[in-house]
Amino acid sequence: MTARTNPLARSGSAIVSQARLLKQWTRELLCLSADDTVSVSELSCALPDCPPIETVILVLSTSGESRQLSVHKALLDVAFDDIVSAIAAEPPEAGRE
């Protein structure tokens, strides 16, 4: 049996590496513990008022607080400064429950 690859799929290893890097930067910038969870997703939207693609970083802390950071770029295009800007753009206590 031969393995088949999806010709339309993006490079999996590049996406995984970039997601790990975004998680690392987020952990460093927010001074998170190893027990806190960081999830990185790339989402697309076809609605008129929403960006066509964005990267969402969800942080779930062990204290029960959560926060969501959004960068209106594809996951592979997100840079360190984009995460810094997303954190700075958060209103005080926004997204933390």
Side-chain angles (χ1 to χ4, degrees):
M1 179 178 236
T2 8
R4 295 185 183 181
T5 59
N6 180 350
L8 302 176
R10 295 186 298 177
S11 172
S13 62
I15 291 173
V16 170
S17 295
Q18 179 72 356
R20 285 183 182 146
L21 187 58
L22 298 182
K23 289 178 183 183
Q24 176 187 335
W25 290 339
T26 302
R27 285 186 178 285
E28 291 170 2
L29 288 166
L30 297 177
C31 301
L32 301 175
S33 76
D35 293 330
D36 295 326
T37 301
V38 179
S39 172
V40 176
S41 302
E42 183 179 277
L43 306 174
S44 62
C45 182
L47 298 174
D49 292 337
C50 125
I53 196 158
E54 70 177 325
T55 297
V56 176
I57 301 169
L58 180 63
V59 178
L60 303 170
S61 71
T62 54
S63 68
E65 292 182 355
S66 66
R67 65 198 298 181
Q68 178 179 313
L69 306 171
S70 296
V71 178
H72 296 167
K73 292 183 176 181
L75 191 147
L76 289 173
D77 296 331
V78 177
F80 181 84
D81 289 341
D82 295 319
I83 298 175
V84 171
S85 296
I87 292 169
E90 280 188 304
E93 301 303 316
R96 296 179 205 146
E97 300 172 5

